[in-house]
Structures are given as C-alpha cells and as structure tokens.
Amino acid sequence: MRRNPGPFEPFIYLLQTPAMFRVVGLGGLILFSILALSSASGHSAGAAIFGLLLLGALWFEATSNICRRCRFYGTWHCLGQGMLASKLFSRIDERLGESGTMLHGALLAAYLIYGLFWLWHSPMLGFIFTLWAPIALVTATAPAGFSWRQVQG
C-alpha cells in the first residue's frame, strides 16, 4: 500500500488515469521537447544537437529497459511506444534492478534539466513546464506503483 496523499488524493487518482497519462504526461513531454529543442536551436546548433542526443539516449534507454518490462508492452497504452518496443526488443520478465532504475532516473533528470534550462529563457514557459514536470511524473505512476518495478509473485 502507498501512503495517503492527503487532501490531494482525488487529484492524484485523477492524474493516475491512462487518459491523463497520455494527454498530460506524454503530450506534455512532446510539447516540452519541441519547445526546448526549438529554443536551444535558436541559440546554437550544438545546443540543439546535444538535446537531440540526450533525448535519443533517454528514448533508447527507456525502450530497451523500461518498455520491455512494462505491463503495457506490445500495446498502444503509451501512444504506440509499447508496440514499437515489441517490434525492436523481446520482452523481459524480471524486474529492473537498482542500477537500471538509477540510470533511467538520471537520464530523465538530465533531460528535464536541459529542457527547463532552455525553457526558462522565456519565463512564462519555464514556469509552466516547471509546474508540469511533477504533475507528469504523477501521471506516469499507477496506484500500485511503476509497472516495470512490480515484484513478481
């Protein structure tokens, strides 16, 4: 069981629905990426290339480590990412270890920091996406925890 989120409980359960994950989590990530990379490219090609490399590393790591263990592997739950992962990699049944979890968290944090750095060049975008980031992380979890970290019975 997880801890009770207190007065925010109804909002937490609303945010943890598949529709909110798709719209707020994934849709927001797509918008975040487009805006951050366009801001970076307006400053220099090197900044944009670094962002694309960071995004590519995050996508490859997530696809090869997270998606292969997810209960939604081979489905359209993540707007086709699970289907793409099933075409590229075979399923893995054991849970992700601590080093894999740390790698995923580090790449995600690095990408968020990169994007927020460029989005804060426009204070309103920086503010909006700074508020979006924790909400998006809540949409990515289910009440039972991360789907790829489930302990097998």
Side-chain angles (χ1 to χ4, degrees):
M1 295 291 295
R2 68 183 177 92
R3 292 178 20 170
N4 186 331
F8 299 107
E9 185 172 13
F11 299 110
I12 298 295
Y13 291 132
L14 176 66
L15 287 173
Q16 291 178 330
T17 61
M20 292 300 278
F21 170 68
R22 290 179 190 115
V23 173
V24 175
L26 296 177
L29 181 63
I30 292 168
L31 185 60
F32 175 83
S33 298
I34 290 169
L35 292 173
L37 290 169
S38 67
S39 177
S41 68
H43 285 30
S44 74
I49 291 170
F50 177 74
L52 287 171
L53 289 173
L54 196 54
L55 178 60
L58 177 62
W59 176 85
F60 181 77
E61 183 277 329
T63 303
S64 62
N65 288 325
I66 305 300
C67 296
R68 295 171 73 185
R69 292 171 167 87
C70 184
R71 67 176 162 254
F72 301 111
Y73 173 83
T75 69
W76 289 95
H77 175 76
C78 295
L79 303 177
Q81 182 62 23
M83 292 297 288
L84 181 62
S86 71
K87 303 295 183 210
L88 296 173
F89 303 105
S90 61
R91 183 165 183 72
I92 298 175
D93 291 322
E94 61 269 356
R95 63 185 228 121
L96 187 62
E98 290 303 314
S99 62
T101 303
M102 295 297 285
L103 174 64
H104 183 67
L107 282 171
L108 182 60
Y111 187 67
L112 288 175
I113 290 168
Y114 166 84
L116 287 173
F117 172 80
W118 289 109
L119 289 176
W120 270 102
H121 282 73
S122 170
M124 184 55 78
L125 283 177
F127 178 73
I128 289 169
F129 281 99
T130 299
L131 293 177
W132 163 82
I135 293 170
L137 293 174
V138 170
T139 68
T141 64
F146 291 111
S147 64
W148 41 270
R149 292 283 296 167
Q150 294 292 319
V151 177
Q152 305 228 328

